[in-house]
């Protein structure tokens, strides 16, 4: 079982600026929730000018609570985002978020996670219950952005997720394991090769990912390899042709098109902007 949260900045465009503008940190959930939850992510800000952050989304569901200034807290379940995520922060505020492991939200949602892909479901203010699930779900005992310290905010999130009563599901465990294998093994470039390596039929793999992750395995492979390209582009000079080949793209132009479509700028322009 993991002892610390992930330390990479994968998916965050210009992570250096993010850390200069806001307080961003990650924490692990309670041990009983770690099979499904990647980490909690907390952000606090006090800004004199608006700040826009852009993120190339992971193939993961997030539950997010936000409070601006002294206003009310809002909450939402955000499905896997296919497009570049942009958010503008201003004034003061806080966010307490839960990033689920790909495949890990299904035991809480109990329906096809693809129903959430590309959209968000608001959580009712004041009585934050499990969204749209036709079973008896627990209520949330406190507001995670109002708690004083990180430990209290994390305990509030633990309480919320525990109250949702996630159900053990061997297929969710399989989806989590397979998605993690794609994330951590950069040699995974093709769905058919990956399916053969794990002794699973391609069609079954596709159905499993749509039901439990929310997107297909080809999309997950491409997204993780593209996040690697973003991370490497920020690290200094490199050969785009060699990187394209390493990440399974047919040629450099293919990588540039994918990168630009998702990140909003070309790889070279992004590299210049963070240098």
């Amino acid at each position: 079982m993991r002892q610390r949260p992930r330390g990479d900045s994968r998916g965050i465009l210009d992570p250096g600026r993010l850390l200069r503008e806001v307080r961003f940190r990650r924490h692990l959930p309670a041990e009983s929730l770690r099979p499904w939850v990647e980490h909690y992510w907390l952000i606090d800000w006090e800004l004199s000018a608006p700040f826009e952050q852009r993120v190339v989304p992971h193939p993961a569901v997030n539950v997010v609570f936000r409070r601006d200034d002294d206003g009310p807290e809002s909450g939402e379940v955000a499905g896997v985002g296919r497009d570049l995520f942009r958010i503008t922060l201003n004034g003061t505020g806080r966010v307490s978020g839960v990033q689920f492991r790909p495949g890990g939200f299904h035991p809480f949602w109990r329906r096809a996670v693809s129903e959430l892909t590309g959209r968000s479901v608001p959580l009712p203010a004041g009585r934050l219950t499990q969204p749209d699930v036709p079973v008896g779900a627990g209520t949330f005992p406190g507001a995670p952005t109002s708690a004083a310290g990180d430990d209290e905010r994390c305990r509030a999130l633990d309480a919320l997720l525990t109250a949702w009563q996630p159900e053990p599901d061997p297929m969710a465990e399989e989806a989590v394991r397979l998605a993690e294998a794609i994330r951590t093994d950069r040699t995974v470039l093709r769905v058919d090769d990956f399916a053969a390596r794990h002794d699973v039929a391609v069609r079954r793999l596709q159905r499993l990912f749509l039901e439990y992750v929310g997107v297909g395995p080809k999309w997950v492979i491409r997204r993780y390899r593209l996040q690697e390209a973003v991370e490497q582009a920020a690290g200094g000079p490199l050969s785009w042709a060699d990187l394209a080949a390493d990440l399974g793209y047919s040629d450099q132009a293919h990588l540039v098109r994918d990168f630009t479509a998702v990140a909003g700028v070309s790889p070279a322009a992004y590299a210049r902007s963070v240098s």
Side-chain angles (χ1 to χ4, degrees), residues 79-147:
V80 175
R82 292 182 177 274
D83 302 319
L84 182 68
F85 174 76
R86 299 173 181 265
I87 189 168
T88 298
L89 306 177
N90 201 0
T92 61
R94 288 177 144 196
V95 168
S96 296
V98 181
Q99 184 177 110
F100 288 83
R101 302 178 72 182
F105 189 61
H106 194 283
F108 299 80
W109 178 247
R110 302 170 205 171
R111 296 208 303 269
V113 178
S114 57
E115 294 179 15
L116 287 167
T117 300
R119 71 186 188 97
S120 298
V121 176
L123 287 167
R127 188 174 182 272
L128 302 176
T129 59
Q130 187 174 6
D132 295 346
V133 178
V135 296
T139 59
F140 177 54
T145 61
S146 299

Side-chain angles (χ1 to χ4, degrees), residues 103-252:
F105 189 61
H106 194 283
F108 299 80
W109 178 247
R110 302 170 205 171
R111 296 208 303 269
V113 178
S114 57
E115 294 179 15
L116 287 167
T117 300
R119 71 186 188 97
S120 298
V121 176
L123 287 167
R127 188 174 182 272
L128 302 176
T129 59
Q130 187 174 6
D132 295 346
V133 178
V135 296
T139 59
F140 177 54
T145 61
S146 299
D150 285 12
D151 288 346
E152 290 81 3
R153 288 162 77 171
C154 291
R155 282 197 293 270
L157 293 170
D158 286 341
L160 168 66
L161 299 183
T162 300
W164 282 4
Q165 300 174 355
E167 298 179 343
D169 184 341
M171 292 185 69
E173 294 173 9
E174 181 182 12
V176 168
R177 176 178 59 81
L178 292 171
E180 179 69 6
I182 293 173
R183 184 182 74 84
T184 57
D185 184 355
R186 66 174 307 184
T187 68
V188 176
L189 304 175
R190 294 174 54 87
V191 173
D192 52 354
D193 292 342
F194 179 73
R197 189 182 307 179
H198 290 271
D199 194 26
V200 58
V202 170
R203 288 191 177 181
R204 181 179 179 278
L205 182 66
Q206 291 169 335
R207 290 194 298 269
L208 179 72
F209 270 57
L210 287 174
E211 173 76 20
Y212 284 83
V213 181
V215 286
K218 181 179 179 179
W219 192 94
V220 174
I221 292 170
R222 277 283 182 250
R223 177 50 52 93
Y224 277 137
R225 302 295 84 89
L226 185 61
Q227 287 187 340
E228 291 183 49
V230 171
E231 191 172 48
Q232 292 196 41
L238 50 80
S239 166
W240 301 114
D242 289 347
L243 180 61
D246 287 347
L247 299 179
Y249 285 91
S250 56
D251 53 31
Q252 178 178 336

Side-chain angles (χ1 to χ4, degrees), residues 20-57:
R20 291 192 299 271
E21 297 283 354
V22 305
R23 289 186 61 232
F24 172 82
R25 56 264 190 224
R26 295 176 176 138
H27 296 283
L28 289 179
E31 190 165 345
S32 62
L33 295 166
R34 293 179 196 177
W36 304 295
V37 177
E38 180 72 33
H39 54 244
Y40 298 150
W41 50 278
L42 309 180
I43 300 178
D44 298 79
W45 65 91
E46 187 173 348
L47 300 166
S48 57
F51 164 62
E52 182 188 63
Q53 180 60 49
R54 297 169 297 148
V55 177
V56 178

Side-chain angles (χ1 to χ4, degrees), residues 66-73 90-94 145-146:
R66 176 171 173 173
R67 185 180 184 186
D68 291 275
D69 300 315
D70 294 324
E73 180 173 75
N90 201 0
T92 61
R94 288 177 144 196
T145 61
S146 299

